Amino acid sequence: MLDEHTIIQETIACFNRILAAHPTSRLVFITTQREGSATENKTWQQIQPHLSEQIGLIHYPLLTGNKAHQINYAVAQLQAETGEGGLPVYYAIFDADSRPDIRGCEYIAQDTHDEKIYQMLPVYSTNFARLSLLGKASAIFQTRWMMSHELPSLLENHRRQRAVNLSYCVGHGLFIEARYFAQHPLPTETVTEDLLFGYQAVMNHVYARPTPYFDYCSTVALFPVSVRQAARWHAGDITSLLKLMREKNTDPRLRLLQVRRLFQMLQWPFGPLLTVAALCCLLVLNCWPAVLLMLVLIGCYVCVLHCPVMKLFFRRGGNPLGLYSALLLKSAVNCTGALYSYFLRVNPNVDFWFKTPR
């Protein structure tokens, strides 16, 4: 964790309820030297009074390295302390703003299949009431993407126990079996370690099992910050896919899945641009039936696709007309982060390893 002292007390209170229900579990916080030594690190100081047999603290001592480095370092220390026991051990990764549904932890604890990876997918709702209209649209948009793409991709792979999609993992709400983690630590060569970890699992014929409960978390409040965050996500995903494509793979079907996923990623920056360009061409050509059809399809995308998510997770969202208008705007400008990532790639002074402000 880096600079999380403003919310860490709420985080501890939330996870204390999970510890009370699962007394054999441990909660381990990871702080980093990038925030300063113990005397300077505000997050470390906030956690200290709460340390107990169930709550631990590991300080990552280097100024270099990011989330994947810190987690790998902490897991190595924990494995050295505990060794191998009879029962399966899982490392559950959460962010400081994670507020997981306790039933998800109970679901995994009671499951008899002993999967190598479980995924509790995110719902971006915890700060929804404090967001601007565009920020609320972004939270709904991201949650809709989880429901329409991330969850079905993971679920289909797991149900069929074969690679139907090149699905990825999300880096919070992620449960990894200890022995699998020892053999497959989080990759450190990309800014989106969770995506590459998930891709590599599929390549290894390991299919994460999604839980029917969610990890409730926040979304960024400011549009410029969300653009920068999306740029990092897109750049990391493209880097991860290109890394996989450079590796030798004798299975042509997996290679095809990689190409299909790359095509999906390119729809992110260029889909809205091509849609606007097509609509403008049709207007210039006075092709009104086609214009009307495109407007109906856009309306269905904005309203029909997001309506179930709004009813399920964002019932107190406010004025529906305002939200749908904001969703239309969000859909139009969603390409900006991905396009910005290409601009940043050609700038040698840009570093994608940054923390998204709360």
Side-chain angles (χ1 to χ4, degrees):
M1 295 182 296
L2 176 63
D3 295 325
E4 300 287 12
H5 57 276
T6 57
I7 64 170
I8 198 63
Q9 296 297 333
E10 297 174 25
T11 306
I12 293 171
C14 172
F15 281 90
N16 268 334
R17 291 192 287 272
I18 296 176
L19 291 177
H22 300 276
T24 58
S25 301
R26 285 189 67 196
L27 173 63
V28 179
F29 291 98
I30 308 170
T31 55
T32 172
Q33 190 71 14
R34 289 173 61 188
E35 193 179 338
S37 61
T39 56
E40 304 166 326
N41 193 310
K42 293 181 180 178
T43 307
W44 188 92
Q45 293 169 354
Q46 290 275 336
I47 297 169
Q48 275 296 309
H50 299 275
L51 296 183
S52 65
E53 289 186 4
Q54 276 192 290
I55 301 179
L57 173 60
I58 293 176
H59 186 72
Y60 181 73
L62 304 179
L63 292 172
T64 57
N66 291 275
K67 181 177 178 179
H69 298 85
Q70 295 162 22
I71 292 172
N72 290 342
Y73 174 84
V75 167
Q77 285 205 341
L78 292 169
Q79 286 178 332
E81 290 175 10
T82 59
E84 289 191 12
L87 294 175
V89 174
Y90 286 86
Y91 295 107
I93 302 169
F94 290 100
D95 287 345
D97 68 327
S98 291
R99 303 294 180 261
D101 190 326
I102 191 172
R103 293 174 297 177
C105 300
E106 293 168 355
Y107 175 87
I108 295 169
Q110 295 172 10
D111 188 54
T112 58
H113 294 90
D114 297 336
E115 307 284 355
K116 290 182 171 63
I117 304 171
Y118 291 91
Q119 179 72 70
M120 191 183 294
L121 286 163
V123 172
Y124 301 90
S125 61
T126 56
N127 64 336
F128 187 77
R130 301 190 298 273
L131 295 172
S132 65
L133 197 58
L134 186 58
K136 290 179 178 179
S138 181
I140 296 169
F141 190 94
Q142 285 181 262
T143 304
R144 189 273 305 165
W145 176 253
M146 178 275 292
M147 292 291 288
S148 64
H149 177 79
E150 293 172 346
L151 178 57
S153 296
L154 289 170
L155 201 55
E156 190 172 17
N157 278 356
H158 183 267
R159 280 178 173 171
R160 298 194 182 188
Q161 282 300 297
R162 65 185 182 92
V164 182
N165 309 284
L166 188 61
S167 56
Y168 54 81
C169 291
V170 179
H172 48 101
L174 180 60
F175 293 72
I176 308 171
E177 196 269 329
R179 284 168 294 187
Y180 184 81
F181 198 116
Q183 298 171 0
H184 304 278
L186 294 179
T188 56
E189 61 268 38
T190 173
V191 294
T192 51
E193 72 288 331
D194 49 351
L195 304 183
L196 182 54
F197 177 82
Y199 291 152
Q200 290 173 337
V202 172
M203 301 300 287
N204 293 324
H205 308 289
V206 173
Y207 308 109
R209 180 173 188 157
T211 71
Y213 305 100
F214 301 99
D215 176 25
Y216 296 88
C217 56
S218 62
T219 190
V220 294
L222 300 175
F223 178 71
V225 178
S226 70
V227 169
R228 198 169 178 224
Q229 182 188 57
R232 184 186 66 199
W233 287 343
H234 187 74
D237 206 341
I238 293 293
T239 302
S240 300
L241 286 169
L242 294 178
K243 181 183 184 303
L244 288 180
M245 288 179 168
R246 286 193 295 267
E247 296 175 355
K248 285 187 177 181
N249 181 19
T250 57
D251 189 339
R253 190 169 57 85
L254 290 176
R255 180 69 70 186
L256 184 62
L257 289 179
Q258 293 171 3
V259 174
R260 188 178 75 174
R261 177 60 188 153
L262 182 62
F263 177 71
Q264 289 175 340
M265 284 304 300
L266 294 176
Q267 292 177 42
W268 184 354
F270 301 115
L273 295 180
L274 292 174
T275 301
V276 172
L279 189 58
C280 290
C281 288
L282 292 173
L283 286 169
V284 170
L285 295 172
N286 292 325
C287 190
W288 299 111
V291 169
L292 181 61
L293 177 61
M294 281 203 69
L295 291 176
V296 169
L297 291 175
I298 291 170
C300 289
Y301 173 83
V302 171
C303 299
V304 177
L305 202 58
H306 293 90
C307 181
V309 174
M310 291 170 64
K311 288 183 177 179
L312 187 60
F313 298 112
F314 305 96
R315 292 181 180 178
R316 299 180 182 180
N319 180 11
L321 181 60
L323 283 175
Y324 285 125
S325 300
L327 279 167
L328 176 62
L329 178 60
K330 167 63 182 174
S331 302
V333 302
N334 190 52
C335 61
T336 52
L339 292 172
Y340 185 49
S341 73
Y342 298 126
F343 170 77
L344 295 179
R345 276 180 175 274
V346 300
N347 188 338
N349 298 319
V350 169
D351 184 7
F352 280 108
W353 301 90
F354 61 84
K355 173 183 167 57
T356 303
R358 295 291 175 209

